[in-house]
Amino acid sequence: IDVGEQPFLYSSGNYGPGYVMVKGIVGQKYVFKTLIQSLGFKIAREIEKHSIDFVAGNVTGGVLPGWQLSEDLANRYGKSIPFVYVRDTRKKGGLREHVTGLDNNPEILPGSKVLVVEELVNFATTTINSVKLFRELGYEAREAACILFYGNPIAIDELRKEQINMTYLLILDDLLKVAEEKSMFPNKLFDDYRNFLADPLAWQKKRGFEPVATGGTK
């Protein structure tokens, strides 16, 4: 968790008290695989296998979790679960693809059902953008998953409006409780995070920032 004195600028254009570096766990293979296996177990328990035909990882943080999740779900569901990854914008060079692994893939049929994966979800904009993209391409997109969900009320509302089901392994408030019990960070940080989660837009306005309700990434 970033503990700087200055508000953290998310790539959505919004500010918040800090950033939880979930993507950094890829360097710790045992921890990374354990978390993804746990997420895969939860998904398999809550989502029927007929609701997921392939997995899409959002660049960059969702790529490795998405790929590992596609492997784990294939084993749990007992069927092939192909993997693709999605950029927030189309490539400027090369083949200029927006989704890599999708074109001419005989394992992914028109109308297939996709699970969009991120490492963490705060404002949920990239998740929603990817869901909309797959819907435009003719696929059924209703399921999303992440390791850490902030529980941001704006994200909850936007996901509900877009009829997206978010399955997550951890929620930020629970993570804060553990860190607080272990006195890992100053009390002010925990207060700031909880005030932010209660009302992200008001938190920013109080500090002189013009909030962005949606847009950008995370």
Side-chain angles (χ1 to χ4, degrees):
I1 298 178
D2 179 87
V3 293
E5 290 297 321
Q6 297 299 317
F8 188 92
L9 175 60
Y10 304 119
S11 49
S12 64
N14 285 291
Y15 285 84
Y19 176 77
V20 184
M21 179 59 81
V22 177
K23 66 180 67 175
I25 62 173
V26 297
Q28 304 173 56
K29 286 188 175 182
Y30 176 78
V31 175
F32 174 75
K33 286 190 173 182
T34 299
L35 290 175
I36 299 303
Q37 286 171 355
S38 298
L39 178 58
F41 176 79
K42 186 174 183 181
I43 290 171
R45 185 181 62 197
E46 297 181 0
I47 304 174
E48 294 185 1
K49 68 178 181 179
H50 302 297
S51 298
I52 299 174
D53 296 316
F54 69 104
V55 171
N58 277 338
V59 172
T60 59
V63 173
L64 289 180
W67 186 90
Q68 185 64 54
L69 197 55
S70 70
E71 292 287 287
D72 291 350
L73 289 178
N75 292 329
R76 294 183 185 280
Y77 286 150
K79 68 174 187 176
S80 174
I81 302 288
F83 172 77
V84 302
Y85 62 86
V86 190
R87 294 178 175 84
D88 58 345
T89 57
R90 189 178 295 276
K91 282 181 66 178
K92 295 182 179 179
L95 298 176
R96 301 175 59 82
E97 73 272 17
H98 203 157
V99 182
T100 300
L102 189 61
D103 291 347
N104 302 314
N105 188 335
E107 295 187 39
I108 303 178
L109 303 177
S112 294
K113 300 172 183 177
V114 61
L115 170 71
V116 174
V117 177
E118 305 252 25
E119 87 283 13
L120 70 83
V121 171
N122 185 357
F123 283 86
T125 308
T126 49
T127 294
I128 293 171
N129 286 346
S130 290
V131 164
K132 288 181 176 179
L133 172 63
F134 281 111
R135 288 173 178 173
E136 291 171 2
L137 293 173
Y139 299 95
E140 185 173 327
R142 294 181 179 275
E143 301 293 342
C146 63
I147 298 172
L148 177 67
F149 184 49
Y150 269 47
N152 186 322
I154 293 174
I156 292 172
D157 187 50
E158 292 298 320
L159 290 167
R160 178 187 55 78
K161 288 178 182 177
E162 296 296 335
Q163 298 183 320
I164 301 170
N165 176 49
M166 175 63 69
T167 303
Y168 55 85
L169 181 62
L170 304 168
I171 193 163
L172 183 55
D173 189 55
D174 289 342
L175 199 64
L176 292 174
K177 288 176 183 177
V178 173
E180 190 173 32
E181 288 173 359
K182 296 182 179 296
S183 301
M184 297 178 68
F185 302 104
N187 288 335
K188 180 182 181 300
L189 180 71
F190 299 115
D191 292 339
D192 272 353
Y193 265 105
R194 292 191 175 107
N195 289 333
F196 170 79
L197 293 174
D199 192 336
L201 303 186
W203 188 96
Q204 295 175 83
K205 288 179 179 179
K206 183 177 180 181
R207 289 156 179 79
F209 298 108
E210 186 62 33
V212 180
T214 59
T217 57
K218 300 295 183 281

